DNA sequence: TCTGGGGTCCTAGGACCC
DNA sequence: TCTGGGGTCCTAGGACCC
């Protein structure tokens, strides 16, 4: 049997851990630059605030109803996520962290009749130990476990845990489940199925496998099998990331080359740090910069440069150099750039690097230097030591008007909290 | 005026091979 | 006039997820 643990309204719940006064009040967390709503408390959902709504479109409602807004604070969410996952991981031999707030795990080491009570205790322990409310779904496939978790979240009577074990439970759960809410059924697939008069998960599951395959191809067939109780999407444990991206939208468009270069240098350093954390190196690097797709009054520009590195690397200085050189090749003065990003691709384990006999770099030395820089940052805090290209100006290009303190990860904020 | 960020997998089609 | 068939690899774009 699979269990799926899902944190309720995760980002909002993180903010509430340190602001218990916000229990029962409508709260939302916003995307970068305070642009869109990305997490909503139940009270905010009840007000009709949709997921992804741009803040400026719901401004009136926010003011009228006293909705509390937070800028996103990913250091905080990442840290609380680690604590939740740490507890869950201890309780199983097979564990997959699926996203920042969800994980699948196998619970076959617990007798069937005790699995529900076992998971109910996990829900209580995490609420008490970390402060985050979670829901758990139990079933014979990952897709059914996702369905079960939605029921666990929706009905308080379940005490946070719902299981789909018997055939009757499966039929009942699927008959009351909208097809578009099924894991793997997106906008396009939903429209196709609705055109074929299928509106519930049960109606889809009762069609033939051939129907699913023909209409929705391989992914659709897998979903169909999973809804019928077969576990065809297995738990995958900790694979290397195949790509690492850092990208940002700017509060107002940027034209200056030096300011864009500063952003790109920082994106590189951020990506490379993640690369080193998973003990891997990248063989390719992509830099892109573009105008706002929402502006119809200006010509759209989309610049992107793919660089294949001579030797795979995770070194900040080297990646920054290649990225800036690529950017300079196609930067156009005067263009209103609204977003930029760096993507590392073709990622392989550090140990698999093929050296070049005629390499002009002393890589052992460069890597030693990089390790020292990382240690300094770990001890002294983020950006304690950086390359000059990462600090070309002191201009602020992002907007975060409602950001909460870094309660758990920054010593200065922890001291403030205690005071 | 104001509209996020970070991923994975699958498929179709082109280039190339014999 | 009439111009095959089968395979691999790579890439871009679509669809989906949170």
């Amino acid at each position: 049997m699979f269990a799926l643990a899902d944190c309720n309204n995760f980002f909002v719940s993180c903010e509430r851990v340190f602001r218990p006064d916000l229990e029962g009040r409508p709260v939302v967390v916003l995307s970068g630059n305070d642009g869109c709503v990305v997490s909503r408390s139940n009270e905010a959902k009840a007000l009709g605030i949709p997921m992804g709504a741009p803040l400026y479109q719901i401004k009136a409602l926010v003011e009228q109803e006293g909705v509390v807004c937070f800028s996103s604070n990913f250091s905080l969410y990442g840290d609380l996520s680690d604590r939740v996952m740490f507890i869950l991981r201890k309780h199983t031999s097979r564990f997959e962290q699926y996203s920042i707030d969800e994980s699948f795990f196998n619970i076959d080491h617990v007798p069937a009749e005790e699995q529900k009570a076992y998971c109910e205790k996990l829900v209580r322990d995490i609420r008490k130990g970390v402060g985050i409310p979670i829901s758990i779904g139990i079933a014979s496939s990952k897709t059914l476990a996702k369905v079960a978790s939605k029921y666990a979240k929706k009905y308080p009577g379940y005490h946070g845990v719902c299981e789909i074990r018997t055939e009757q439970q499966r039929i009942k759960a699927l008959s009351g489940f909208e097809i578009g809410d099924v894991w793997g059924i997106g906008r396009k697939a939903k429209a196709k199925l609705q055109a074929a008069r299928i509106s519930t998960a049960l109606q889809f599951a009762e069609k033939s496998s051939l129907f699913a395959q023909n209409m929705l191809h391989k992914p659709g067939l897998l979903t169909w099998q999973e809804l019928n109780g077969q576990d065809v999407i297995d738990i995958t444990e900790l694979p290397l990331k195949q790509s690492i991206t850092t990208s940002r939208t700017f509060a107002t468009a940027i034209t200056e080359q030096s300011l864009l270069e500063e952003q790109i240098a920082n994106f590189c350093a951020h990506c490379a740090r993640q690369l080193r954390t998973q003990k891997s190196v990248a063989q390719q690097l992509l830099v892109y910069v573009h105008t706002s797709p929402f502006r119809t009054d200006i010509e759209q520009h989309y610049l992107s440069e793919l660089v294949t590195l001579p030797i795979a690397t995770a070194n900040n200085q080297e990646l920054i150099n290649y990225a800036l050189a690529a950017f300079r090749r196609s930067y156009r003065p005067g263009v209103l750039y609204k977003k930029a990003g760096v993507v590392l691709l073709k990622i392989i384990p550090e140990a698999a690097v093929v050296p070049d006999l005629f390499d002009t770099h002393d890589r052992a030395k460069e890597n030693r230097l990089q390790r020292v820089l990382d240690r300094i940052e770990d001890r002294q805090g983020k950006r304690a030591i950086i390359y000059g290209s990462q600090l070309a100006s002191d201009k602020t290009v992002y907007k975060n008007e409602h950001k909460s303190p870094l309660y758990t990860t920054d010593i200065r904020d922890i001291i403030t909290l205690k005071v």
Side-chain angles (χ1 to χ4, degrees):
Chain A
M1 295 294 276
F2 294 93
L4 170 76
D6 189 345
C7 300
N8 304 344
N9 316 332
F10 183 55
F11 298 167
V12 164
S13 296
C14 289
E15 298 291 350
R16 277 178 169 167
V17 169
F18 298 91
R19 290 287 306 275
D21 57 302
L22 297 179
E23 289 293 336
R25 293 184 56 187
V27 180
V28 299
V29 172
L30 305 167
S31 64
N33 294 312
D34 300 337
C36 299
V37 172
V38 293
S39 179
R40 304 161 295 160
S41 71
N42 291 343
E43 299 78 10
K45 289 176 189 171
L47 287 175
I49 296 174
M51 186 65 169
L55 181 59
Y56 75 92
Q57 285 178 6
I58 56 163
K59 200 91 193 173
L61 186 64
V62 164
E63 279 165 17
Q64 185 188 320
E65 301 290 342
V67 178
V68 180
C69 298
F70 285 96
S71 303
S72 42
N73 183 347
F74 276 92
S75 311
L76 177 66
Y77 312 150
D79 187 58
L80 293 188
S81 169
D82 288 347
R83 298 176 192 208
V84 171
M85 298 304 165
F86 178 81
I87 294 174
L88 290 173
R89 204 182 290 267
K90 280 197 302 192
H91 288 266
T92 178
S93 54
R94 300 196 64 214
F95 182 86
E96 173 185 358
Q97 184 171 341
Y98 177 66
S99 72
I100 194 166
D101 72 332
E102 276 182 52
S103 59
F104 291 102
F105 51 97
N106 192 286
I107 46 166
D108 288 325
H109 57 290
V110 179
E113 63 279 8
E114 293 169 25
Q115 287 174 355
K116 188 163 190 296
Y118 184 85
C119 287
E120 282 172 1
K121 184 172 184 315
L122 273 176
V123 171
R124 288 195 303 273
D125 287 354
I126 287 171
R127 180 74 205 225
K128 192 176 173 195
V130 189
I132 298 290
I134 71 169
S135 304
I136 298 181
I138 303 171
S140 62
S141 72
K142 283 165 111 179
T143 307
L144 285 175
K146 292 272 282 185
V147 170
S149 80
K150 294 271 175 76
Y151 280 99
K153 189 174 292 192
K154 193 168 171 188
Y155 300 104
Y158 283 118
H159 302 292
V161 182
C162 170
E163 50 180 5
I164 297 177
R165 191 171 295 279
T166 67
E167 184 61 7
Q168 295 96 299
Q169 284 170 338
R170 188 181 72 88
I171 302 286
K172 191 174 173 212
L174 294 189
S175 68
F177 208 79
E178 234 187 86
I179 187 65
D181 293 336
V182 173
W183 188 45
I185 304 294
R187 239 185 37 242
K188 296 274 179 180
K190 181 185 174 184
K192 272 190 180 176
L193 291 170
Q194 278 179 335
R197 298 176 192 281
I198 291 168
S199 58
T200 69
L202 186 63
Q203 288 168 343
F204 178 59
E206 284 179 338
K207 288 282 180 180
S208 70
S209 65
L210 210 60
F211 173 89
Q213 162 108 54
N214 288 343
M215 184 169 282
L216 305 174
H217 311 289
K218 187 177 173 182
L221 178 61
L222 293 180
T223 299
W224 181 89
Q225 290 172 308
E226 288 251 319
L227 287 175
N228 282 300
Q230 303 172 46
D231 59 323
V232 291
I233 305 175
D234 201 8
I235 285 178
T236 48
E237 296 167 71
L238 283 184
L240 275 193
K241 276 189 189 166
Q242 297 174 33
S243 72
I244 295 174
T245 306
T246 306
S247 68
R248 292 288 178 277
T249 299
F250 311 123
T252 44
I254 299 179
T255 54
E256 298 106 291
Q257 183 175 357
S258 62
L259 206 48
L260 286 164
E261 288 187 5
E262 175 184 335
Q263 304 310 316
I264 289 165
N266 280 308
F267 298 163
C268 276
H270 190 246
C271 286
R273 185 73 212 249
Q274 290 184 54
L275 203 53
R276 295 191 294 274
T277 302
Q278 65 168 21
K279 294 193 191 308
S280 60
V281 290
Q283 297 175 284
Q284 277 186 339
L285 172 156
L286 178 79
V287 186
Y288 67 87
V289 183
H290 62 82
T291 47
S292 168
F294 297 104
R295 286 191 65 164
T296 48
D297 58 321
I298 57 171
E299 196 188 332
Q300 294 290 309
H301 286 267
Y302 199 106
L303 166 177
S304 89
E305 286 274 342
L306 181 66
V307 180
T308 299
L309 304 160
I311 307 276
T313 183
N315 184 276
N316 275 11
Q317 189 180 10
E318 198 179 1
L319 287 165
I320 289 172
N321 284 342
Y322 278 109
L324 292 184
F327 168 71
R328 285 171 191 145
R329 281 199 290 276
S330 44
Y331 163 76
R332 300 257 301 267
V335 175
L336 292 166
Y337 293 111
K338 181 71 173 171
K339 182 174 178 175
V342 167
V343 188
L344 300 182
L345 299 154
K346 299 260 169 83
I347 291 170
I348 55 169
E350 194 171 71
V353 176
V354 180
D356 177 355
L357 189 56
F358 305 106
D359 198 355
T360 53
H361 291 242
D362 184 345
R363 287 176 190 276
K365 198 171 172 182
E366 288 171 358
N367 291 341
R368 270 202 316 278
L369 172 60
Q370 185 64 68
R371 279 198 295 277
V372 170
L373 296 180
D374 286 343
R375 273 215 304 281
I376 292 173
E377 199 181 53
D378 288 342
R379 287 185 198 165
Q380 308 293 326
K382 282 189 180 139
R383 294 178 74 77
I385 184 160
I386 57 177
Y387 284 97
S389 53
Q390 294 176 252
L391 194 61
S393 80
D394 53 4
K395 284 192 187 162
T396 311
V397 295
Y398 308 113
K399 186 176 145 194
N400 282 302
E401 286 179 357
H402 312 284
K403 190 155 172 185
S404 52
L406 301 169
Y407 296 108
T408 61
T409 52
D410 189 300
I411 189 68
R412 287 156 294 194
D413 284 330
I414 293 169
I415 292 165
T416 311
L417 183 67
K418 281 182 178 162
V419 170

